[in-house]
Amino acid sequence: MEILKETIEFIEFLDYITIVFAFFAMIGTFVNFFYRRKDSKLIKIYIKFPDNSTKLVPYHITRRNFTRSELFGILRAIDKEENFKIKYISTPEFFDDVLQVQKGKSDEITIRLETDDKFSWA
């Protein structure tokens, strides 16, 4: 009879441990949801032309998928000749702007064109 009582107490103890682990798992799920909700945010891409006019690119990328290569693919898609040369995309400022978007500190990026850049967008 004593062994049965000890077994029941041990099973009850395991139930309490299960409840504690479930509670921490629930908290972890909410924390993960809170931090990952920004990953679905759409990032706006702007092109700033040498005459200081700015156009919004009609394509957006979610933060989760925002990389240099995805951005270059969009630029290639809107460039008439699909062979652009933009000085800004090889500067440290561009890499910093991309990093700020990826970290969630910015929801947009502006590609600045200079007069001698090769990019034709109607």
Side-chain angles (χ1 to χ4, degrees), residues 1-11:
M1 196 66 166
E2 186 67 29
I3 294 175
L4 182 62
K5 184 178 178 184
E6 289 176 4
T7 304
I8 291 173
E9 288 175 358
F10 181 71
I11 291 173

Side-chain angles (χ1 to χ4, degrees), residues 7-57:
T7 304
I8 291 173
E9 288 175 358
F10 181 71
I11 291 173
E12 288 175 353
F13 173 74
L14 288 180
D15 285 343
Y16 291 124
I17 296 296
T18 302
I19 290 170
V20 169
F21 279 119
F23 177 74
F24 282 116
M26 182 181 66
I27 289 175
T29 301
F30 285 124
V31 168
N32 187 36
F33 173 75
F34 178 75
Y35 285 112
R36 294 294 172 202
R37 68 184 166 86
K38 280 187 161 186
D39 286 349
S40 298
K41 180 113 174 126
L42 293 177
I43 304 303
K44 293 181 182 178
I45 304 166
Y46 293 97
I47 304 287
K48 185 172 183 177
F49 293 93
D51 62 355
N52 283 333
S53 64
T54 304
K55 282 178 121 179
L56 175 65
V57 173

Side-chain angles (χ1 to χ4, degrees), residues 47 49 55 59 72-86 113 118-122:
I47 304 287
F49 293 93
K55 282 178 121 179
Y59 307 106
F72 291 170
I74 288 177
L75 292 175
R76 195 169 293 111
I78 62 175
D79 185 26
K80 287 181 184 177
E81 299 171 14
E82 297 182 7
N83 188 14
F84 62 88
K85 290 189 181 183
I86 301 172
L113 299 178
K118 181 182 175 198
F119 185 80
S120 55
W121 183 28

Side-chain angles (χ1 to χ4, degrees), residues 41-118:
K41 180 113 174 126
L42 293 177
I43 304 303
K44 293 181 182 178
I45 304 166
Y46 293 97
I47 304 287
K48 185 172 183 177
F49 293 93
D51 62 355
N52 283 333
S53 64
T54 304
K55 282 178 121 179
L56 175 65
V57 173
Y59 307 106
H60 303 292
I61 309 173
T62 59
R63 186 181 319 279
R64 165 182 331 122
N65 297 325
F66 189 83
T67 60
R68 286 179 39 246
S69 60
E70 286 289 332
L71 182 59
F72 291 170
I74 288 177
L75 292 175
R76 195 169 293 111
I78 62 175
D79 185 26
K80 287 181 184 177
E81 299 171 14
E82 297 182 7
N83 188 14
F84 62 88
K85 290 189 181 183
I86 301 172
K87 289 181 184 176
Y88 172 70
I89 61 176
S90 61
T91 63
E93 292 83 19
F94 170 73
F95 289 98
D96 186 49
D97 289 346
V98 169
L99 186 62
Q100 295 303 315
V101 169
Q102 289 173 340
K103 285 183 172 181
K105 295 183 179 180
S106 177
D107 294 334
E108 62 185 45
I109 189 166
T110 302
I111 308 297
R112 294 185 289 276
L113 299 178
E114 296 180 15
T115 53
D116 55 343
D117 285 341
K118 181 182 175 198

